[in-house]
Amino acid sequence: MRRLIVNADDFGFTAGINRAIAEAHTRGIVTSATLMAKGRAFENAVTLAKTMPRLSVGCHVVLIDGEPVLDSSQIPSLTARTAAFRDGLRTFAARAMGGRLNAEEIESEAGAQIHRLQSAGINVSHVDSHKHTHLFPAVLHPLLRAARACGVRAIRNPFGPRKPLRSADLLKRPNLWTRYAEVRTLRLLAAKFHIAANRAGLATPDGTLGIVVTGALDEKLFRAIAAIIPEGTWEFVCHPGYNDDDLKASSTRLRESRETELRVLTMPEARELLLDHGISLISYRELLAGEPRA
């Protein structure tokens, strides 16, 4: 049996991203989305989410490249007492691996972000993290504690299958080689993730697809990934959006690629392609319930 959760990240980042996620859900294959508690279009995302009862909404916990919910004085290891988080991914990774992050601060900030969604009337089905920072044990353990304390019962497994693409597909895309090498190296942390999630009692898919092709996804890559999805339950991570003025003014590297992803996710044959490969679409809510999407 093959089941697939299609999760759109960055819900709440801009109104154009919110609109694209809504379209990718209502006209396409997106089944879940994760919402940024301090996204500039947070309120708009909440309003939209309430019009889409079948969209499973989780919390996209942000610890880098953004602003915290808590006052910076409460989380100095994450902010250095500035209004924004102190690190980009590379510096954050070095500090996480070097034991220089405060676990209590991460737990408090993650809990505050989840609570902000819940206070807005969102039934938070799952958690993940911006740029997958919870693959580091220093972030994973406090995030699991925060999720449990907030009554959230599922978390993204940020580790993919050993071969996320066929070798022939990778050879055609040399721009993906570095990303593929990084993802393979980080797989060394996968066993620790499974042990920690199981001990915390949180449900999780078997792994994640789409990380290697972030920013490069097109129809050919989508077809290549769909053809090799393993048995089990997997999550496909995507970033649909509109490259409008708000997005152009932001610091994200994902701009034009978001519109390409939206086209892929809403193409009429996308759902049919998955069915042809024996893949059922589910959401995080259905993962928890153990039921397939109708």
Side-chain angles (χ1 to χ4, degrees), residues 54-267:
R54 298 194 72 189
L55 181 70
S56 179
V57 179
C59 183
H60 196 54
V61 174
V62 177
L63 300 174
I64 58 175
D65 299 335
E67 296 182 356
V69 169
L70 296 177
D71 187 272
S72 60
S73 64
Q74 297 176 265
I75 47 172
S77 78
L78 299 175
T79 62
R81 299 185 183 277
T82 63
F85 291 116
R86 66 188 293 170
D87 296 323
L89 182 57
R90 290 186 183 277
T91 307
F92 184 91
R95 297 178 67 240
M97 299 296 282
R100 288 181 285 157
L101 298 176
N102 185 297
E104 292 182 0
E105 292 176 18
I106 292 172
E107 183 177 351
S108 296
E109 175 60 26
Q113 292 184 27
I114 296 168
H115 276 305
R116 185 158 198 251
L117 271 63
Q118 292 172 328
S119 297
I122 298 294
N123 181 12
V124 179
S125 56
H126 62 293
V127 293
D128 58 33
S129 61
H130 186 51
K131 297 191 176 177
H132 316 291
T133 54
H134 72 287
L135 59 81
F136 300 109
V139 176
L140 174 62
H141 294 288
L143 179 56
L144 288 169
R145 290 194 295 271
R148 285 192 62 183
C150 294
V152 178
R153 298 167 47 217
I155 187 170
R156 169 180 289 167
N157 176 348
F159 300 97
R162 294 187 180 279
K163 291 186 177 181
L165 284 168
R166 292 191 180 102
S167 298
D169 294 309
L170 276 171
L171 287 172
K172 294 175 185 175
R173 305 280 186 136
N175 58 317
L176 300 181
W177 294 351
T178 300
R179 184 80 167 174
Y180 177 65
E182 291 172 346
V183 169
R184 282 202 60 170
T185 300
L186 291 170
R187 272 195 59 83
L188 296 172
L189 300 171
K192 292 182 179 180
F193 172 86
H194 285 288
I195 292 170
N198 287 337
R199 285 179 177 171
L202 266 71
T204 184
D206 292 309
T208 299
L209 305 158
I211 293 177
V212 169
V213 300
T214 297
L217 182 69
D218 57 18
E219 183 178 341
K220 287 184 178 179
L221 281 174
F222 179 76
R223 288 180 179 278
I225 292 170
I228 61 168
I229 293 176
E231 291 289 320
T233 301
W234 296 83
E235 179 182 359
F236 185 83
V237 177
C238 58
H239 299 82
Y242 282 102
N243 190 26
D244 54 17
D245 290 341
D246 285 344
L247 192 63
K248 290 174 182 175
S250 73
S251 60
T252 181
R253 72 178 178 89
L254 303 179
R255 293 191 175 90
E256 294 87 353
S257 65
R258 293 182 188 266
E259 295 193 356
T260 303
E261 290 201 22
L262 176 60
R263 288 193 293 272
V264 172
L265 296 164
T266 56
M267 62 183 185

